[in-house]
Protein backbone atom coordinates (compact mmCIF):
# COMPACT_ATOMS: atom_id res chain seq x y z
CA UNK A 1 0.00 0.00 0.00
CA UNK A 2 0.95 3.65 -0.38
CA UNK A 3 0.67 5.41 2.98
CA UNK A 4 0.54 9.06 4.01
CA UNK A 5 1.59 9.56 7.65
CA UNK A 6 0.74 12.89 9.24
CA UNK A 7 2.08 13.52 12.75
CA UNK A 8 0.94 16.42 14.92
CA UNK A 9 1.89 17.81 18.30
CA UNK A 10 4.98 17.42 20.44
CA UNK A 11 8.31 15.66 19.83
CA UNK A 12 7.18 12.78 22.05
CA UNK A 13 4.29 12.15 19.65
CA UNK A 14 6.69 12.40 16.73
CA UNK A 15 8.73 9.52 18.16
CA UNK A 16 5.56 7.41 18.12
CA UNK A 17 5.07 8.35 14.46
CA UNK A 18 8.68 7.37 13.71
CA UNK A 19 7.97 3.91 15.14
CA UNK A 20 4.77 3.65 13.08
CA UNK A 21 6.75 4.61 9.98
CA UNK A 22 9.34 1.88 10.63
CA UNK A 23 6.60 -0.74 10.98
CA UNK A 24 4.93 0.43 7.76
CA UNK A 25 8.11 0.37 5.69
CA UNK A 26 9.27 -2.94 7.16
CA UNK A 27 5.97 -4.49 6.03
CA UNK A 28 6.72 -3.46 2.45
CA UNK A 29 4.47 -0.44 2.17
CA UNK A 30 5.68 2.86 0.74
CA UNK A 31 4.98 6.42 1.87
CA UNK A 32 3.96 9.64 0.18
CA UNK A 33 3.07 13.15 1.29
CA UNK A 34 0.39 13.39 -1.42
CA UNK A 35 -2.94 12.14 -0.07
CA UNK A 36 -4.41 12.07 -3.54
CA UNK A 37 -1.96 9.27 -4.40
CA UNK A 38 -2.26 7.30 -1.14
CA UNK A 39 -4.24 4.20 -0.25
CA UNK A 40 -4.26 5.06 3.46
CA UNK A 41 -3.78 8.27 5.43
CA UNK A 42 -2.71 7.79 9.05
CA UNK A 43 -3.13 10.88 11.22
CA UNK A 44 -1.16 10.68 14.46
CA UNK A 45 -3.02 13.31 16.46
CA UNK A 46 -2.36 15.51 19.46
CA UNK A 47 -5.19 16.17 21.91
CA UNK A 48 -3.48 17.97 24.78
CA UNK A 49 -5.24 21.35 24.66
CA UNK A 50 -8.07 22.90 22.66
CA UNK A 51 -5.89 24.34 19.90
CA UNK A 52 -4.20 20.96 19.39
CA UNK A 53 -7.57 19.23 19.15
CA UNK A 54 -8.73 21.78 16.59
CA UNK A 55 -5.60 21.19 14.51
CA UNK A 56 -6.15 17.42 14.66
CA UNK A 57 -9.78 17.72 13.54
CA UNK A 58 -8.75 20.07 10.72
CA UNK A 59 -6.25 17.49 9.47
CA UNK A 60 -8.88 14.73 9.59
CA UNK A 61 -11.20 16.85 7.45
CA UNK A 62 -8.31 17.61 5.07
CA UNK A 63 -8.08 13.84 4.51
CA UNK A 64 -11.84 13.65 4.05
CA UNK A 65 -11.55 16.40 1.43
CA UNK A 66 -8.70 14.55 -0.32
CA UNK A 67 -11.00 11.55 -0.67
CA UNK A 68 -13.16 13.55 -3.12
CA UNK A 69 -10.23 13.39 -5.53
CA UNK A 70 -9.03 9.96 -4.37
CA UNK A 71 -12.11 7.81 -3.50
CA UNK A 72 -10.00 4.79 -2.47
CA UNK A 73 -8.35 6.74 0.40
CA UNK A 74 -8.84 5.17 3.84
CA UNK A 75 -8.45 7.33 6.96
CA UNK A 76 -6.89 6.01 10.17
CA UNK A 77 -6.77 8.22 13.28
CA UNK A 78 -4.34 7.40 16.08
CA UNK A 79 -2.49 9.32 18.78
CA UNK A 80 -3.76 11.38 21.70
CA UNK A 81 -7.06 12.58 20.18
CA UNK A 82 -7.93 9.02 19.20
CA UNK A 83 -7.06 7.74 22.66
CA UNK A 84 -9.22 10.36 24.31
CA UNK A 85 -12.23 10.66 22.02
CA UNK A 86 -12.74 7.27 20.41
CA UNK A 87 -16.55 7.30 20.43
CA UNK A 88 -16.84 10.92 19.33
CA UNK A 89 -14.57 10.39 16.32
CA UNK A 90 -16.37 7.26 15.16
CA UNK A 91 -19.84 8.77 15.67
CA UNK A 92 -19.22 12.34 14.54
CA UNK A 93 -16.84 11.73 11.63
CA UNK A 94 -18.20 8.61 9.91
CA UNK A 95 -15.74 9.07 7.03
CA UNK A 96 -12.98 7.80 9.35
CA UNK A 97 -12.22 4.13 8.71
CA UNK A 98 -10.28 3.36 11.88
CA UNK A 99 -9.71 4.87 15.31
CA UNK A 100 -6.68 3.39 17.04
CA UNK A 101 -5.60 3.90 20.65
CA UNK A 102 -1.91 4.29 21.45
CA UNK A 103 -1.83 0.82 23.00
CA UNK A 104 -2.66 -0.66 19.59
CA UNK A 105 -0.02 1.19 17.56
CA UNK A 106 1.83 -2.09 17.25
CA UNK A 107 -1.10 -3.47 15.20
CA UNK A 108 -0.91 -0.71 12.58
CA UNK A 109 -0.01 -3.00 9.66
CA UNK A 110 -2.88 -5.36 10.42
CA UNK A 111 -5.22 -2.37 10.72
CA UNK A 112 -4.07 -1.07 7.33
CA UNK A 113 -4.96 -4.42 5.77
CA UNK A 114 -8.36 -4.50 7.46
CA UNK A 115 -9.45 -1.01 6.39
CA UNK A 116 -8.33 -1.68 2.81
CA UNK A 117 -10.68 -4.69 2.82
CA UNK A 118 -13.50 -2.32 3.71
CA UNK A 119 -13.68 -3.07 7.44
CA UNK A 120 -14.23 -0.37 10.03
CA UNK A 121 -11.89 -0.62 13.01
CA UNK A 122 -12.00 0.69 16.57
CA UNK A 123 -9.08 -0.85 18.47
CA UNK A 124 -7.74 -0.01 21.91
CA UNK A 125 -5.05 -1.88 23.79
CA UNK A 126 -3.87 -0.94 27.25
CA UNK A 127 -2.09 2.41 27.35
CA UNK A 128 0.89 0.63 28.87
CA UNK A 129 1.08 -1.61 25.78
CA UNK A 130 2.53 1.28 23.77
CA UNK A 131 6.07 0.23 22.89
CA UNK A 132 8.13 3.41 22.77
CA UNK A 133 11.40 1.46 22.58
CA UNK A 134 10.74 -0.14 19.18
CA UNK A 135 12.81 0.58 16.07
CA UNK A 136 12.03 3.82 14.31
CA UNK A 137 12.68 5.97 11.28
CA UNK A 138 14.40 9.29 11.96
CA UNK A 139 11.99 11.92 10.63
CA UNK A 140 14.00 14.93 11.82
CA UNK A 141 16.94 16.24 9.80
CA UNK A 142 19.78 13.73 9.94
CA UNK A 143 21.92 15.66 12.43
CA UNK A 144 19.46 15.81 15.36
CA UNK A 145 16.89 13.47 16.89
CA UNK A 146 14.63 13.09 19.90
CA UNK A 147 15.22 10.32 22.42
CA UNK A 148 12.11 9.47 24.45
CA UNK A 149 13.30 8.07 27.77
CA UNK A 150 9.91 7.61 29.47
CA UNK A 151 6.22 7.51 28.65
CA UNK A 152 3.17 8.72 30.56
CA UNK A 153 3.07 10.81 33.71
CA UNK A 154 2.20 10.23 37.36
CA UNK A 155 2.47 13.82 38.61
CA UNK A 156 -1.30 14.35 38.59
CA UNK A 157 -1.40 18.08 37.82
CA UNK A 158 -5.06 19.03 38.01
CA UNK A 159 -5.14 20.93 34.69
CA UNK A 160 -3.45 18.22 32.62
CA UNK A 161 -5.05 15.40 30.61
CA UNK A 162 -1.79 13.57 29.83
CA UNK A 163 -2.21 10.87 32.53
CA UNK A 164 -5.73 10.22 31.18
CA UNK A 165 -4.35 9.88 27.66
CA UNK A 166 -0.93 8.31 28.18
CA UNK A 167 -1.23 6.50 31.49
CA UNK A 168 1.24 6.44 34.41
CA UNK A 169 4.94 7.27 34.16
CA UNK A 170 7.09 4.38 33.02
CA UNK A 171 10.80 4.68 32.37
CA UNK A 172 12.81 2.98 29.70
CA UNK A 173 15.80 0.91 30.84
CA UNK A 174 19.14 2.70 30.70
CA UNK A 175 20.49 -0.01 28.39
CA UNK A 176 17.61 0.56 25.95
CA UNK A 177 18.20 4.33 25.92
CA UNK A 178 21.93 3.83 25.32
CA UNK A 179 21.30 1.35 22.50
CA UNK A 180 19.06 3.84 20.73
CA UNK A 181 21.50 6.69 21.31
CA UNK A 182 24.26 4.59 19.73
CA UNK A 183 21.99 3.80 16.78
CA UNK A 184 21.26 7.50 16.34
CA UNK A 185 24.98 8.31 16.44
CA UNK A 186 25.67 5.67 13.80
CA UNK A 187 22.99 7.29 11.62
CA UNK A 188 24.83 10.61 11.80
CA UNK A 189 22.93 12.30 14.62
CA UNK A 190 25.05 14.88 16.46
CA UNK A 191 22.41 16.40 18.76
CA UNK A 192 20.23 14.21 20.97
CA UNK A 193 17.24 15.89 22.58
CA UNK A 194 16.09 14.07 25.71
CA UNK A 195 12.30 14.12 26.03
CA UNK A 196 9.58 12.69 28.30
CA UNK A 197 6.64 14.18 30.15
CA UNK A 198 9.01 14.56 33.12
CA UNK A 199 12.64 13.66 32.45
CA UNK A 200 13.56 14.31 36.08
CA UNK A 201 11.35 11.38 37.15
CA UNK A 202 13.37 9.10 34.89
CA UNK A 203 14.42 5.87 36.58
CA UNK A 204 12.46 6.17 39.83
CA UNK A 205 10.10 3.35 38.86
CA UNK A 206 12.86 1.02 37.63
CA UNK A 207 15.76 1.75 39.96
CA UNK A 208 14.19 3.22 43.10
CA UNK A 209 15.79 6.64 42.55
CA UNK A 210 16.04 9.15 39.68
CA UNK A 211 18.77 8.24 37.20
CA UNK A 212 18.80 11.09 34.70
CA UNK A 213 22.33 12.05 35.74
CA UNK A 214 23.53 8.48 35.11
CA UNK A 215 21.89 8.41 31.70
CA UNK A 216 23.46 11.72 30.71
CA UNK A 217 26.89 10.49 31.75
CA UNK A 218 26.53 7.31 29.67
CA UNK A 219 25.20 9.10 26.57
CA UNK A 220 28.08 11.54 26.90
CA UNK A 221 30.49 8.67 26.30
CA UNK A 222 29.03 7.85 22.87
CA UNK A 223 31.30 8.80 19.99
CA UNK A 224 29.60 11.02 17.43
CA UNK A 225 27.15 12.64 19.84
CA UNK A 226 28.22 16.27 20.26
CA UNK A 227 25.22 17.92 21.93
CA UNK A 228 22.70 16.67 24.52
CA UNK A 229 19.67 18.90 25.14
CA UNK A 230 17.21 18.52 28.04
CA UNK A 231 13.47 19.10 27.65
CA UNK A 232 10.74 19.06 30.32
CA UNK A 233 12.45 18.91 33.73
CA UNK A 234 10.45 19.56 36.89
CA UNK A 235 12.00 21.94 39.47
CA UNK A 236 11.05 19.85 42.51
CA UNK A 237 12.89 16.85 41.07
CA UNK A 238 15.91 18.71 39.73
CA UNK A 239 18.59 17.07 41.86
CA UNK A 240 22.09 18.35 42.49
CA UNK A 241 23.33 15.22 40.69
CA UNK A 242 21.66 16.35 37.46
CA UNK A 243 22.87 19.93 37.78
CA UNK A 244 26.42 18.74 38.48
CA UNK A 245 26.37 16.46 35.43
CA UNK A 246 25.12 19.37 33.32
CA UNK A 247 27.99 21.48 34.61
CA UNK A 248 30.82 18.97 34.06
CA UNK A 249 29.61 17.05 30.99
CA UNK A 250 30.81 19.06 27.99
CA UNK A 251 28.19 17.48 25.73
CA UNK A 252 25.20 18.56 27.85
CA UNK A 253 24.19 21.97 26.56
CA UNK A 254 23.70 24.99 28.85
CA UNK A 255 19.96 24.81 28.20
CA UNK A 256 17.02 23.31 30.04
CA UNK A 257 13.24 23.38 29.63
CA UNK A 258 11.87 23.82 33.16
CA UNK A 259 8.06 24.24 33.07
CA UNK A 260 6.91 25.93 36.29
CA UNK A 261 3.33 27.01 35.32
CA UNK A 262 2.99 29.60 38.11
CA UNK A 263 4.86 31.11 41.06
CA UNK A 264 2.14 31.73 43.64
CA UNK A 265 2.00 29.03 46.32
CA UNK A 266 -1.81 28.92 46.55
CA UNK A 267 -2.22 28.63 42.79
CA UNK A 268 0.49 25.94 42.58
CA UNK A 269 -1.22 23.98 45.33
CA UNK A 270 -4.55 24.35 43.51
CA UNK A 271 -2.83 22.93 40.42
CA UNK A 272 -1.52 20.01 42.52
CA UNK A 273 2.01 21.00 41.57
CA UNK A 274 4.47 19.40 43.97
CA UNK A 275 6.93 22.29 44.00
CA UNK A 276 6.12 25.63 45.62
CA UNK A 277 7.47 29.14 45.24
CA UNK A 278 10.73 28.58 47.14
CA UNK A 279 11.48 25.27 45.41
CA UNK A 280 11.09 26.91 42.00
CA UNK A 281 13.26 29.89 42.91
CA UNK A 282 15.86 27.59 44.46
CA UNK A 283 16.04 25.46 41.31
CA UNK A 284 16.64 28.54 39.17
CA UNK A 285 19.35 29.81 41.53
CA UNK A 286 21.11 26.42 41.64
CA UNK A 287 21.11 26.19 37.86
CA UNK A 288 22.47 29.70 37.37
CA UNK A 289 25.14 29.29 40.06
CA UNK A 290 26.40 25.99 38.65
CA UNK A 291 26.10 26.92 34.96
CA UNK A 292 26.54 30.71 34.62
CA UNK A 293 25.80 30.75 30.86
CA UNK A 294 22.66 28.60 31.07
CA UNK A 295 19.50 29.50 29.18
CA UNK A 296 16.32 28.44 30.95
CA UNK A 297 13.08 27.93 29.05
CA UNK A 298 9.83 27.78 31.01
CA UNK A 299 6.08 27.67 30.43
CA UNK A 300 3.33 29.38 32.41
CA UNK A 301 -0.45 29.20 32.67
CA UNK A 302 -2.43 32.43 33.06
CA UNK A 303 -6.06 32.57 34.10
CA UNK A 304 -6.14 29.31 36.05
CA UNK A 305 -9.44 28.87 37.97
CA UNK A 306 -9.53 31.18 40.96
CA UNK A 307 -6.37 33.11 40.04
CA UNK A 308 -6.79 36.55 41.61
CA UNK A 309 -5.46 39.82 40.25
CA UNK A 310 -2.92 39.87 43.07
CA UNK A 311 -1.73 36.34 42.29
CA UNK A 312 -1.51 37.17 38.60
CA UNK A 313 0.48 40.33 39.36
CA UNK A 314 2.83 38.24 41.49
CA UNK A 315 3.44 36.05 38.44
CA UNK A 316 4.12 39.11 36.29
CA UNK A 317 6.63 40.47 38.81
CA UNK A 318 8.39 37.12 38.99
CA UNK A 319 8.73 37.03 35.19
CA UNK A 320 10.32 40.49 35.30
CA UNK A 321 12.73 39.46 38.05
CA UNK A 322 13.67 35.96 36.86
CA UNK A 323 14.38 37.11 33.30
CA UNK A 324 14.01 33.67 31.75
CA UNK A 325 15.83 33.48 28.45
CA UNK A 326 12.92 31.61 26.85
CA UNK A 327 9.28 31.66 28.02
CA UNK A 328 5.86 30.73 26.74
CA UNK A 329 2.64 31.65 28.53
CA UNK A 330 -0.64 29.96 27.70
CA UNK A 331 -4.17 30.95 28.60
CA UNK A 332 -5.67 28.21 30.79
CA UNK A 333 -7.57 25.63 28.74
CA UNK A 334 -10.35 23.55 30.34
CA UNK A 335 -9.75 19.90 29.55
CA UNK A 336 -12.55 17.36 29.96
CA UNK A 337 -11.97 14.84 32.71
CA UNK A 338 -9.46 16.94 34.64
CA UNK A 339 -9.97 18.17 38.19
CA UNK A 340 -9.43 21.81 37.21
CA UNK A 341 -12.20 21.72 34.61
CA UNK A 342 -14.71 21.01 37.39
CA UNK A 343 -13.48 23.78 39.68
CA UNK A 344 -15.60 26.76 40.51
CA UNK A 345 -14.34 30.29 39.82
CA UNK A 346 -13.52 29.62 36.17
CA UNK A 347 -12.13 32.85 34.73
CA UNK A 348 -13.63 34.44 31.63
CA UNK A 349 -11.86 33.21 28.49
CA UNK A 350 -11.07 36.74 27.32
CA UNK A 351 -9.46 37.61 30.66
CA UNK A 352 -7.35 34.45 30.53
CA UNK A 353 -6.06 35.43 27.11
CA UNK A 354 -5.45 39.04 28.14
CA UNK A 355 -3.36 37.86 31.08
CA UNK A 356 -1.34 35.49 28.91
CA UNK A 357 -0.79 38.19 26.30
CA UNK A 358 0.41 40.66 28.93
CA UNK A 359 3.00 38.21 30.24
CA UNK A 360 4.22 37.62 26.70
CA UNK A 361 4.60 41.38 26.23
CA UNK A 362 6.75 41.47 29.36
CA UNK A 363 8.78 38.56 28.04
CA UNK A 364 9.21 40.20 24.65
CA UNK A 365 11.01 43.11 26.32
CA UNK A 366 13.21 40.68 28.25
CA UNK A 367 13.98 38.72 25.09
CA UNK A 368 14.85 41.89 23.20
CA UNK A 369 17.33 42.90 25.93
CA UNK A 370 18.85 39.41 26.10
CA UNK A 371 19.21 39.20 22.33
CA UNK A 372 20.93 42.60 22.16
CA UNK A 373 23.48 41.37 24.71
CA UNK A 374 24.39 38.54 22.32
CA UNK A 375 25.85 40.95 19.74
CA UNK A 376 29.66 40.55 19.48
CA UNK A 377 29.53 37.26 21.38
CA UNK A 378 30.96 34.03 19.98
CA UNK A 379 28.62 31.03 20.12
CA UNK A 380 28.47 27.51 18.72
CA UNK A 381 25.70 26.79 16.23
CA UNK A 382 24.50 23.73 14.32
CA UNK A 383 23.53 24.22 10.66
CA UNK A 384 19.93 23.07 10.16
CA UNK A 385 19.15 23.99 6.56
CA UNK A 386 19.88 26.19 3.57
CA UNK A 387 17.28 28.80 2.60
CA UNK A 388 17.60 29.04 -1.16
CA UNK A 389 15.20 31.97 -1.51
CA UNK A 390 17.26 34.20 0.79
CA UNK A 391 20.67 32.58 0.23
CA UNK A 392 21.28 32.01 3.93
CA UNK A 393 22.04 29.08 6.19
CA UNK A 394 19.53 28.63 9.01
CA UNK A 395 21.26 27.52 12.20
CA UNK A 396 20.51 27.03 15.89
CA UNK A 397 22.72 27.96 18.79
CA UNK A 398 23.34 25.87 21.87
CA UNK A 399 20.56 27.98 23.41
CA UNK A 400 17.86 27.08 20.90
CA UNK A 401 15.72 23.93 20.60
CA UNK A 402 14.28 23.05 17.18
CA UNK A 403 11.00 24.68 16.16
CA UNK A 404 10.27 26.37 19.48
CA UNK A 405 13.20 28.75 19.97
CA UNK A 406 15.04 31.21 17.75
CA UNK A 407 17.41 30.77 14.83
CA UNK A 408 20.81 32.06 13.82
CA UNK A 409 21.34 33.12 10.21
CA UNK A 410 24.68 33.09 8.40
CA UNK A 411 25.65 33.96 4.84
CA UNK A 412 24.61 31.39 2.24
CA UNK A 413 28.07 31.51 0.70
CA UNK A 414 29.69 30.31 3.93
CA UNK A 415 31.80 27.17 3.68
CA UNK A 416 29.51 24.91 5.72
CA UNK A 417 27.27 21.90 5.22
CA UNK A 418 23.98 20.88 6.81
CA UNK A 419 24.73 19.32 10.21
CA UNK A 420 28.03 21.10 10.76
CA UNK A 421 28.71 22.58 14.19
CA UNK A 422 30.66 25.84 13.85
CA UNK A 423 31.59 28.86 15.94
CA UNK A 424 30.12 32.18 14.87
CA UNK A 425 30.25 35.78 16.00
CA UNK A 426 26.89 37.52 16.41
CA UNK A 427 26.72 40.76 14.43
CA UNK A 428 23.02 41.66 14.75
CA UNK A 429 19.91 40.67 16.71
CA UNK A 430 16.15 40.97 16.70
CA UNK A 431 13.58 39.80 19.27
CA UNK A 432 13.90 36.09 18.46
CA UNK A 433 16.71 35.54 15.97
CA UNK A 434 20.38 36.35 15.55
CA UNK A 435 22.56 37.16 12.54
CA UNK A 436 26.16 36.03 12.59
CA UNK A 437 29.34 35.31 10.66
CA UNK A 438 31.58 32.28 10.89
CA UNK A 439 34.88 32.68 12.68
CA UNK A 440 35.92 29.00 12.68
Amino acid sequence: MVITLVSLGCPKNQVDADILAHSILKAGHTTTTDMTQADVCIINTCGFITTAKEEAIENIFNAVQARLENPKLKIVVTGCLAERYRDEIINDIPEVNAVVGIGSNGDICEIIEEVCKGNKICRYGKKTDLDFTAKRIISTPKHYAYLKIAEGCSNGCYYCAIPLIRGPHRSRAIESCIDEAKFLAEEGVKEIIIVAQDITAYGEDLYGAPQLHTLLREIGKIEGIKWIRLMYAYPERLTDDVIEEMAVNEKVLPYIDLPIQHINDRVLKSMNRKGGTEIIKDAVVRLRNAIPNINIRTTLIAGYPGETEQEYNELCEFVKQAKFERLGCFAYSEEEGTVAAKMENQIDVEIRQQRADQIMRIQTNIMSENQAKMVDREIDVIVDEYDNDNDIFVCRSVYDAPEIDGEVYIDGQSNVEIGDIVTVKVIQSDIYDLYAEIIK
Side-chain angles (χ1 to χ4, degrees):
M1 301 297 173
V2 180
I3 313 294
T4 292
L5 177 57
V6 178
S7 190
L8 307 171
C10 69
K12 299 179 289 296
N13 208 39
Q14 183 61 55
V15 172
D16 293 347
D18 293 350
I19 293 171
L20 288 172
H22 184 276
S23 298
I24 290 164
L25 295 175
K26 185 180 179 182
H29 305 299
T30 56
T31 59
T32 180
T33 57
D34 185 355
M35 277 190 257
T36 64
Q37 300 300 314
D39 297 297
V40 179
C41 175
I42 301 171
I43 305 172
N44 186 41
T45 59
C46 178
F48 179 46
I49 57 176
T50 300
T51 52
K53 288 182 279 189
E54 291 170 349
E55 182 186 25
I57 293 168
E58 179 182 351
N59 275 268
I60 294 170
F61 281 113
N62 286 344
V64 172
Q65 188 69 23
R67 186 182 283 166
L68 297 177
E69 188 174 342
N70 177 18
K72 69 180 179 181
L73 183 67
K74 306 299 183 184
I75 303 170
V76 177
V77 180
T78 185
C80 291
L81 192 80
E83 182 67 36
R84 197 171 177 195
Y85 298 106
R86 63 182 86 176
D87 295 333
E88 289 87 342
I89 294 172
I90 285 289
N91 294 331
D92 297 343
I93 315 178
E95 296 90 344
V96 169
N97 301 94
V99 182
V100 183
I102 60 171
S104 294
N105 276 8
D107 299 335
I108 193 64
C109 292
E110 178 188 334
I111 290 165
I112 288 170
E113 292 180 11
E114 288 296 317
V115 296
C116 286
K117 292 176 183 176
N119 297 324
K120 197 150 189 169
I121 305 294
C122 185
R123 186 171 299 183
Y124 283 80
K126 295 178 182 177
K127 294 177 177 62
T128 50
D129 286 346
L130 174 67
D131 184 0
F132 59 99
T133 70
K135 291 183 178 180
R136 53 187 279 219
I137 299 296
I138 304 172
S139 58
T140 50
K142 186 177 179 181
H143 54 279
Y144 74 83
Y146 297 98
L147 175 60
K148 183 155 69 167
I149 64 173
E151 179 56 88
C153 187
S154 299
N155 289 332
C157 302
Y158 285 164
Y159 52 82
C160 182
I162 291 299
L164 302 174
I165 299 170
R166 292 278 174 171
H169 174 91
R170 47 204 185 276
S171 299
R172 183 176 182 175
I174 288 178
E175 294 79 9
S176 175
C177 294
I178 297 303
D179 285 346
E180 181 161 323
K182 288 179 178 177
F183 159 73
L184 294 173
E186 290 167 0
E187 292 293 305
V189 169
K190 296 180 180 178
E191 177 184 7
I192 282 184
I193 305 167
I194 305 291
V195 294
Q197 287 303 133
D198 178 2
I199 63 171
T200 38
Y202 173 73
E204 280 186 350
D205 51 327
L206 294 181
Y207 308 108
Q211 293 297 322
L212 179 60
H213 62 291
T214 304
L215 181 61
L216 295 178
R217 185 168 61 246
E218 294 304 312
I219 293 176
K221 297 175 183 177
I222 299 173
E223 187 176 352
I225 301 302
K226 305 297 183 183
W227 288 5
I228 304 170
R229 190 180 301 276
L230 303 182
M231 303 287 288
Y232 321 123
Y234 278 54
E236 67 271 17
R237 282 202 176 97
L238 188 61
T239 64
D240 289 338
D241 288 338
V242 171
I243 294 176
E244 181 181 356
E245 187 63 30
M246 292 179 67
V248 302
N249 189 329
E250 293 181 355
K251 294 186 179 182
V252 180
L253 300 178
Y255 176 104
I256 192 168
D257 190 310
L258 191 77
I260 64 172
Q261 312 307 351
H262 213 280
I263 197 60
N264 176 269
D265 267 327
R266 191 206 64 79
V267 175
L268 289 166
K269 185 175 181 181
S270 177
M271 291 177 168
N272 200 37
R273 296 283 292 190
K274 306 304 187 293
T277 303
E278 292 308 313
I279 288 176
I280 291 170
K281 291 180 177 179
D282 178 66
V284 172
V285 169
R286 287 188 292 129
L287 282 166
R288 296 207 187 280
N289 286 344
I291 312 161
N293 63 331
I294 194 168
N295 272 31
I296 303 175
R297 161 170 280 284
T298 196
T299 49
L300 305 173
I301 296 174
Y304 187 77
E307 180 190 59
T308 65
E309 281 283 349
Q310 182 177 346
E311 291 164 344
Y312 168 70
N313 290 334
E314 183 182 340
L315 181 59
C316 290
E317 287 304 310
F318 177 70
V319 171
K320 293 176 185 177
Q321 294 166 10
K323 295 186 182 297
F324 290 106
E325 287 78 12
R326 308 282 186 266
L327 182 148
C329 184
F330 300 91
Y332 166 70
S333 174
E334 296 160 82
E335 298 304 315
E336 301 97 325
T338 63
V339 174
K342 301 171 185 175
M343 289 180 175
E344 298 179 357
N345 302 321
Q346 297 284 334
I347 293 173
D348 183 81
V349 173
E350 288 187 7
I351 294 176
R352 300 178 203 174
Q353 193 60 56
Q354 288 170 4
R355 291 181 179 183
D357 291 344
Q358 173 60 20
I359 286 179
M360 290 311 300
R361 283 192 288 271
I362 294 170
Q363 180 63 20
T364 297
N365 292 331
I366 294 169
M367 279 286 295
S368 183
E369 293 174 5
N370 287 341
Q371 293 287 90
K373 292 176 184 176
M374 295 295 293
V375 175
D376 292 331
R377 280 187 56 183
E378 296 180 6
I379 55 174
D380 288 340
V381 302
I382 192 165
V383 183
D384 275 343
E385 61 179 305
Y386 172 70
D387 180 345
N388 188 65
D389 292 338
N390 296 297
D391 188 26
I392 54 173
F393 283 103
V394 181
C395 313
R396 281 180 299 108
S397 77
V398 293
Y399 306 121
D400 298 298
E403 300 183 358
I404 61 171
D405 292 323
E407 294 169 331
V408 182
Y409 302 112
I410 60 175
D411 192 294
Q413 301 305 308
S414 303
N415 185 26
V416 297
E417 296 182 358
I418 306 302
D420 283 352
I421 295 176
V422 295
T423 303
V424 301
K425 182 177 180 180
V426 179
I427 57 175
Q428 186 181 343
S429 71
D430 60 29
I431 294 175
Y432 298 108
D433 303 319
L434 300 173
Y435 304 83
E437 56 189 14
I438 293 179
I439 57 175
K440 61 179 179 180

